[in-house]
C-alpha cells in the first residue's frame, strides 16, 4: 500500500506521536507543582490509543508503507497488550514520579517503539523499532540519577543491548545476503523457492536470536536481567518484565513464522520450516535452559526484585516451550499466557513498589510478619505468588494449562515433564515469600499503612488474576480471534 | 595484478591492521587514532562497492563526529590512564579458541554459500537514488527515526543536565 493510503491504518501510532509532542510542549507551560498533569495526559493518551487500536480489529490484514509494516489482528492484539502495560506502569509510577514529565514522555515513546515492534515486516524496521524500545529503556532504567545502582544498571543494560543489536544486525546481513530482500514476506518466498544452504541460515537464525533473546531475557542472553531489575526504579522493572518482553515475544513469533517457517498448504494452523534448520529442537533446548536456570537462580535470591527478575526469566522459558510446537495452538497459548502474566506480574511488582518505601528495604526478609501488619497487601501478594507458580484456582494455572496442553498435544512429553518439574521448583521460592509473610511473626511490629491509592491499584490487578482463573473463555476467544496473520502472498 | 586490485589490497590490509591496533593497543589514545585509520579504510571500501554516498557519510559522521567526540572524551577525562583495571580478562587460550571457532564458521559460510546474485552495476552516483528511496519506499523508517532521535535527545538532556538548585 502506498505511503499516503497507509496513513489511515496508522492512526493509533500517529495519535501517539502527536500526543508525545503535545505533552512535551504542554509541560513547558506547567508550574513546578503542577507537573503531574503531564502524567495524567500520558495516561489519557494511552486510553485513547488502546481504543483506537481496538477499532482496527475490523480491518483485513494489509501491508502498510510499501511493506515496511503489516497490520493484522496479531499485531493489534499486541498493540493493546503493550499499551495496557504502559498504562499500568504509569499508574504504578504516579505516587513516586510526580515532578518529571520526561519520564512519561519517554514511556510513550517506548510504547510507540513496541507498537512498531509487533507489526514489523522489514529487517530495517526490526532494528529501528527494537532500538527505539532499547535506547529509551536505558534512560528509564537510569532515571534515578543519584542512585549508583540505577546508573550501573543503565550502563550494563546499554552495553549488553548494543552488543546484542550488533550481533543481530550481522545476522540480518546474512539473511539479506542469502535472499537479497529486506521485507519478511518476500524473504519467506525467496527461501521457499530457492532453498538455500542450511548452515548460513542457521547461523543467521542464531545471531538474530541473540538480539531477540536479549529483549525477552532468554538464556544465555539473560546476564543483564538481575542487575538491571534490581537497580532500575521498581515501576520500570515491572515494565521491562512485561511490556518490552511481550513485544519481543511478538517479534520472535513473527520471525519464527515468516523467516523460519511457513504455514503448511493443507492446514494453515501448522507451520513447516522453510529450510530445515532444526529450529524446534533448538528452541526446546533454549526453553529448557531458560526455565531451569531462571528457577534455580531464583531459589537463592534474597532481594525480592532480583527474585522476580529470575522468575521472569523462568516464565519466558515456559512461553518458549509452547513456541516449540510451531502451530496455532502454541501461539494462542503464549498470547493468553502474556495476558495472564501481565496482571499477576504487575500485581507482584505493584505490591513491592507500595511496600519498599514503608519497609525501607527490598529484602525478602523485610516482609516478615507482613500478614499481620498489612493484611490486604500481604494476601494480595500471596495470591500473585501462587498465581505465578501456576496453582489453581488462579489465572496462572489456566495460562500454564494451555502452554502444557500445546506441548503435550504434539508429543513433546519430555519437554512438558521438565516444564512441570520447573513449576515445582518455582513453588519453593514463591512459597517462601508467603511463608515469611504469614508464618513468621515480628514481635511488636506496628501495623503498616499502605496508601488507599496503592490498595486500589493492587485490587484492580488482583481482580483479573482471580477472575481469569475461573472464567477465562472470553479472553481465550479474543486471543483465538487475534491470530490472523498476514502471510506473504 | 591491476593497480586497482593493488590499491584494494593496500586499503584492506591498512583497515585490518589499524582495527587490530584499536583492539590490542594498551594506550587508549593510540586506539582512538588507529580507529581514525580504520574508519577511513571503511570509507574507501565503500567506494569500491560503488556506495559513494555511504563513504562520504562514514567520513562525515564517524570520522568527523563520533571520533572527535571519543578523542575529546579521552583527552578531557581526568586520570584516564591512572584507573586501575577492575575487570578480569578471560584466559587467552579460551578467548583464542572461541574467536577461532567463530572465524572458522563464518569463513565456511562466506566461502561455501551461494550468495544472492550481485548486480554488476556500473559505478554511478547513488546519492540521488538514496534520496528518492528515503522519501518513497523507506519513508516510514526515515520518519520514525526522527521520533527515536527526539526520545534519545530528551533522555540525554535529562541524564546530563545538572539538577535544579536546592531551595
Amino acid at each position: 500500500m502506498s505511503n499516503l493510503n497507509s496513513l489511515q491504518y496508522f492512526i493509533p501510532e500517529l495519535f501517539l506521536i502527536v500526543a508525545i509532542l503535545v505533552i512535551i510542549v504542554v509541560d513547558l507551560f506547567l508550574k513546578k507543582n503542577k507537573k503531574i498533569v503531564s502524567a495524567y495526559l500520558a495516561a489519557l493518551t494511552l486510553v485513547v490509543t488502546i481504543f483506537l487500536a481496538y477499532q482496527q480489529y475490523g480491518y483485513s490484514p494489509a501491508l502498510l508503507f510499501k511493506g515496511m509494516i503489516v497490520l493484522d489482528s496479531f499485531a493489534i492484539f499486541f498493540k493493546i497488550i503493550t499499551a495496557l502495560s504502559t498504562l499500568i506502569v504509569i499508574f504504578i509510577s504516579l505516587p513516586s514520579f510526580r515532578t518529571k514529565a520526561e519520564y512519561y514522555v519517554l514511556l510513550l515513546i517506548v510504547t510507540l517503539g513496541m507498537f512498531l515492534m509487533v507489526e514489523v515486516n522489514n529487517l530495517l524496521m526490526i532494528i529501528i523499532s527494537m532500538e527505539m524500545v532499547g535506547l529509551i529503556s536505558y534512560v528509564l532504567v537510569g532515571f534515578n540519577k543519584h542512585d549508583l545502582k540505577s546508573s550501573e544498571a543503565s550502563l550494563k543494560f546499554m552495553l549488553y543491548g548494543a552488543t546484542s543489536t550488533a550481533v543481530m544486525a550481522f545476522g540480518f546481513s546474512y539473511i539479506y545476503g542469502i535472499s537479497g530482500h529486506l521485507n519478511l514476506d518476500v524473504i519467506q518466498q525467496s527461501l521457499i523457492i530457492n532453498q538455500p544452504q542450511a548452515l548460513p541460515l542457521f547461523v543467521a537464525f542464531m545471531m538474530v536470536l541473540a538480539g531477540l533473546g536479549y529483549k525477552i531475557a532468554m538464556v544465555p542472553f539473560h546476564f543483564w536481567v538481575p542487575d538491571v531489575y534490581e537497580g532500575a526504579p521498581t515501576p520500570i522493572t515491572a515494565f521491562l518484565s512485561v511490556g518490552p518482553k511481550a513485544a519481543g515475544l511478538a517479534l520472535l513469533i513473527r520471525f519464527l513464522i515468516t523467516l523460519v517457517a511457513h504455514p503448511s498448504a493443507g492446514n494453515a494452523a501448522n507451520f513447516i520450516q522453510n529450510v530445515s534448520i532444526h529450529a524446534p529442537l533448538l528452541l526446546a533446548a533454549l526453553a529448557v535452559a531458560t526455565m531451569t536456570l531462571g528457577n534455580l537462580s531464583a531459589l537463592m535470591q534474597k532481594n525480592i526484585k532480583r527474585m522476580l527478575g529470575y522468575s521472569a526469566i523462568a516464565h519466558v522459558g515456559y512461553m518458549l516451550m509452547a513456541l516449540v510446537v510451531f502451530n496455532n495452538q502454541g501461539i494462542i497459548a503464549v498470547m493468553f499466557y502474556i495476558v495472564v502474566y501481565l496482571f499477576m506480574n504487575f500485581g507482584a511488582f505493584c505490591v513491592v513498589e507500595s511496600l519498599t518505601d514503608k519497609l525501607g528495604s527490598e529484602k525478602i526478609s523485610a516482609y516478615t510478619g507482613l500478614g499481620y501488619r498489612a493484611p490486604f497487601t500481604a494476601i494480595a501478594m500471596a495470591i500473585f505468588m501462587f498465581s505465578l507458580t501456576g496453582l489453581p484456582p488462579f489465572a496462572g494455572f489456566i495460562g500454564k494449562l494451555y502452554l502444557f496442553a500445546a506441548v503435550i498435544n504434539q508429543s513433546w512429553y519430555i519437554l512438558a515433564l521438565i516444564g512441570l518439574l520447573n513449576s515445582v521448583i518455582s513453588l519453593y521460592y514463591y512459597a517462601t515469600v508467603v511463608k515469611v509473610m504469614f508464618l513468621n511473626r515480628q514481635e511488636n511490629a506496628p501495623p503498616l499503612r499502605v496508601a488507599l491509592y496503592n490498595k486500589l491499584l493492587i485490587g484492580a490487578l488482583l481482580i483479573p488474576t482471580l477472575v481469569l482463573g475461573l472464567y477465562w473463555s472470553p479472553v481465550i476467544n479474543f486471543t483465538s480471534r487475534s491470530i490472523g496473520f498476514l502471510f506473504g502472498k | 595484478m591491476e593497480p586497482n586490485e593493488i590499491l584494494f589490497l593496500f586499503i584492506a590490509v591498512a583497515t585490518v591492521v589499524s582495527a587490530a591496533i584499536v583492539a590490542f593497543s594498551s594506550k587508549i589514545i593510540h586506539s582512538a587514532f588507529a580507529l581514525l585509520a580504520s574508519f577511513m579504510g571503511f570509507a574507501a571500501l565503500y567506494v569500491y562497492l560503488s556506495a559513494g554516498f555511504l563513504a562520504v557519510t562514514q567520513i562525515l559522521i564517524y570520522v568527523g563526529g563520533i571520533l572527535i567526540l571519543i578523542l575529546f572524551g579521552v583527552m578531557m577525562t581526568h586520570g584516564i590512564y591512572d584507573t586501575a583495571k577492575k575487570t578480569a580478562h578471560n584466559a587467552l587460550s579460551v578467548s583464542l579458541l572461541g574467536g577461532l571457532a567463530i572465524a572458522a564458521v563464518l569463513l565456511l559460510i562466506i566461502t561455501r554459500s551461494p550468495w544472492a546474485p550481485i548486480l554488476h552495476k556500473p559505478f554511478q552516483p547513488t546519492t540521488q537514488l538514496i534520496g528518492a528511496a528515503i522519501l518513497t519506499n523507506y519513508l516510514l523508517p526515515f520518519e520514525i527515526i526522527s521520533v527515536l532521535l527526539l526520545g534519545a535527545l530528551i533522555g540525554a538532556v535529562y541524564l546530563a543536565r545538572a539538577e535544579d538548585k536546592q531551595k
Side-chain angles (χ1 to χ4, degrees):
Chain A
M1 202 177 288
S2 76
N3 286 324
L4 207 57
N5 283 339
S6 301
L7 283 178
Q8 55 182 318
Y9 299 103
F10 203 56
I11 291 174
E13 289 84 355
L14 286 178
F15 178 76
L16 208 51
I17 295 171
V18 171
I20 289 165
L21 299 176
V22 167
I23 292 174
I24 293 173
V25 175
V26 166
D27 177 58
L28 296 175
F29 296 101
L30 290 174
K31 291 213 179 72
K32 261 257 151 68
N33 50 1
K34 290 273 171 59
K35 291 283 187 195
I36 193 73
V37 172
S38 39
Y40 298 146
L41 281 178
L44 185 69
T45 305
L46 284 168
V47 173
V48 177
T49 310
I50 291 173
F51 179 71
L52 288 174
Y54 186 74
Q55 293 264 302
Q56 292 183 316
Y57 252 106
Y59 298 150
S60 54
L63 283 172
L64 305 183
F65 295 102
K66 310 253 185 183
M68 283 294 147
I69 57 173
V70 54
L71 185 74
D72 50 20
S73 53
F74 177 76
I76 299 167
F77 174 85
F78 274 99
K79 282 198 309 200
I80 295 173
I81 292 291
T82 50
L84 188 65
S85 77
T86 316
L87 186 65
I88 296 173
V89 167
I90 288 184
F91 283 129
I92 298 179
S93 314
L94 273 179
S96 40
F97 292 90
R98 299 195 71 85
T99 54
K100 300 279 176 14
E102 295 94 338
Y103 178 82
Y104 298 100
V105 171
L106 292 177
L107 273 176
L108 289 185
I109 296 178
V110 175
T111 313
L112 178 67
M114 293 191 296
F115 274 27
L116 292 168
M117 257 173 90
V118 301
E119 50 191 6
V120 285
N121 186 44
N122 183 289
L123 296 179
L124 179 65
M125 281 306 290
I126 293 184
I127 296 190
I128 293 177
S129 57
M130 280 182 67
E131 277 308 285
M132 199 155 177
V133 175
L135 205 63
I136 311 296
S137 301
Y138 310 147
V139 179
L140 288 172
V141 166
F143 210 81
N144 292 339
K145 305 196 263 193
H146 299 295
D147 183 356
L148 270 182
K149 264 190 174 170
S150 182
S151 306
E152 184 196 333
S154 177
L155 192 64
K156 274 188 181 161
F157 197 22
M158 196 193 79
L159 290 176
Y160 278 112
T163 314
S164 69
T165 308
V167 174
M168 185 178 72
F170 193 36
F172 283 164
S173 77
Y174 275 5
I175 294 175
Y176 179 67
I178 293 165
S179 66
H181 297 286
L182 284 175
N183 282 7
L184 298 186
D185 54 334
V186 190
I187 296 175
Q188 185 185 42
Q189 292 306 312
S190 154
L191 291 182
I192 296 171
I193 295 167
N194 295 333
Q195 287 291 320
Q197 285 185 350
L199 179 70
L201 203 66
F202 178 75
V203 173
F205 177 48
M206 297 274 277
M207 287 182 184
V208 175
L209 271 187
L212 291 177
Y214 155 82
K215 192 108 278 164
I216 62 173
M218 175 181 82
V219 172
F221 311 108
H222 68 285
F223 290 102
W224 58 278
V225 171
D227 285 338
V228 170
Y229 275 33
E230 189 187 349
T234 311
I236 294 302
T237 310
F239 180 60
L240 289 179
S241 72
V242 180
K245 192 170 274 181
L249 273 165
L251 187 49
L252 179 64
I253 292 173
R254 203 179 279 287
F255 184 79
L256 288 179
I257 60 165
T258 50
L259 287 194
V260 179
H262 60 274
S264 62
N267 178 9
N270 272 313
F271 298 88
I272 43 180
Q273 290 183 61
N274 297 336
V275 177
S276 178
I277 53 172
H278 301 292
L281 208 59
L282 179 69
L283 279 178
L286 288 171
V288 167
T290 306
M291 55 189 159
T292 312
L293 202 134
N295 277 323
L296 291 182
S297 315
L299 285 178
M300 293 170 264
Q301 300 309 315
K302 303 270 179 286
N303 181 305
I304 186 117
K305 274 164 79 180
R306 273 183 102 88
M307 187 275 267
L308 285 172
Y310 278 111
S311 102
I313 295 177
H315 283 275
V316 169
Y318 300 136
M319 288 189 257
L320 279 178
M321 181 179 76
L323 289 181
V324 167
V325 297
F326 274 94
N327 62 15
N328 274 2
Q329 200 193 0
I331 297 172
I332 291 173
V334 171
M335 288 159 82
F336 180 73
Y337 197 76
I338 287 174
V339 177
V340 171
Y341 178 72
L342 177 123
F343 290 115
M344 57 193 186
N345 209 41
F346 268 137
F349 274 109
C350 189
V351 171
V352 174
E353 167 73 358
S354 323
L355 292 176
T356 302
D357 275 351
K358 306 277 186 321
L359 296 172
S361 163
E362 288 167 355
K363 292 247 160 59
I364 293 177
S365 54
Y367 285 61
T368 310
L370 204 69
Y372 305 94
R373 300 173 70 192
F376 172 76
T377 317
I379 290 171
M381 186 65 166
I383 291 173
F384 291 133
M385 288 291 120
F386 285 134
S387 183
L388 282 167
T389 322
L391 290 182
F394 306 117
F397 172 69
I398 307 298
K400 271 202 179 145
L401 203 63
Y402 275 102
L403 291 181
F404 281 105
V407 176
I408 292 173
N409 258 349
Q410 296 295 316
S411 315
W412 286 81
Y413 297 118
I414 299 176
L415 185 63
L417 187 69
I418 296 174
L420 210 62
L421 285 178
N422 264 292
S423 295
V424 176
I425 298 175
S426 74
L427 177 63
Y428 176 80
Y429 59 83
Y430 287 129
T432 306
V433 179
V434 180
K435 174 198 150 235
V436 163
M437 285 193 303
F438 287 96
L439 297 184
N440 303 1
R441 197 160 185 169
Q442 258 180 331
E443 292 302 314
N444 307 324
L448 267 183
R449 213 174 272 275
V450 178
L452 180 66
Y453 174 80
N454 288 351
K455 276 190 185 169
L456 281 177
L457 194 56
I458 294 168
L461 292 166
L462 191 59
I463 291 168
T465 311
L466 289 171
V467 171
L468 284 180
L470 301 168
Y471 180 61
W472 63 90
S473 55
V475 178
I476 198 81
N477 287 339
F478 180 63
T479 316
S480 313
R481 266 190 289 127
S482 306
I483 193 140
F485 293 104
L486 178 84
F487 298 108
K489 294 182 195 84
Chain B
M1 218 189 266
E2 288 179 38
N4 211 349
E5 285 177 33
I6 297 173
L7 189 62
F8 172 78
L9 277 180
F10 172 72
I11 293 169
V13 169
T15 312
V16 172
V17 168
S18 52
I21 297 176
V22 176
F24 295 118
S25 166
S26 54
K27 284 215 168 126
I28 196 160
I29 197 89
H30 292 176
S31 292
F33 277 108
L35 200 58
L36 173 84
S38 189
F39 281 155
M40 295 293 272
F42 270 116
L45 289 178
Y46 287 144
V47 173
Y48 265 88
L49 294 169
S50 71
F53 182 74
L54 200 56
V56 174
T57 318
Q58 166 86 6
I59 292 179
L60 274 180
I61 294 178
Y62 279 92
V63 180
I66 292 177
L67 194 73
I68 299 296
L69 205 66
I70 292 176
L71 282 178
F72 268 99
V74 170
M75 290 177 183
M76 298 179 92
T77 306
H78 183 67
I80 198 162
Y81 290 113
D82 307 332
T83 351
K85 280 182 187 160
K86 285 178 186 150
T87 50
H89 281 282
N90 293 330
L92 183 69
S93 54
V94 178
S95 330
L96 212 62
L97 213 67
L100 284 179
I102 291 174
V105 172
L106 295 188
L107 224 94
L108 201 68
I109 291 172
I110 291 170
T111 48
R112 284 273 201 83
S113 55
W115 295 104
I118 301 159
L119 304 172
H120 285 286
K121 276 193 292 191
F123 188 87
Q124 56 177 21
T126 51
T127 316
Q128 197 181 2
L129 298 174
I130 291 174
I134 281 180
L135 290 179
T136 53
N137 284 349
Y138 293 89
L139 182 68
L140 183 71
F142 180 63
E143 297 293 345
I144 289 302
I145 284 179
S146 64
V147 183
L148 170 60
L149 286 180
L150 174 72
L153 209 64
I154 296 174
V157 168
Y158 171 78
L159 286 182
R161 84 171 165 210
E163 275 302 291
D164 308 329
K165 285 175 209 123
Q166 299 289 321
K167 275 169 226 150

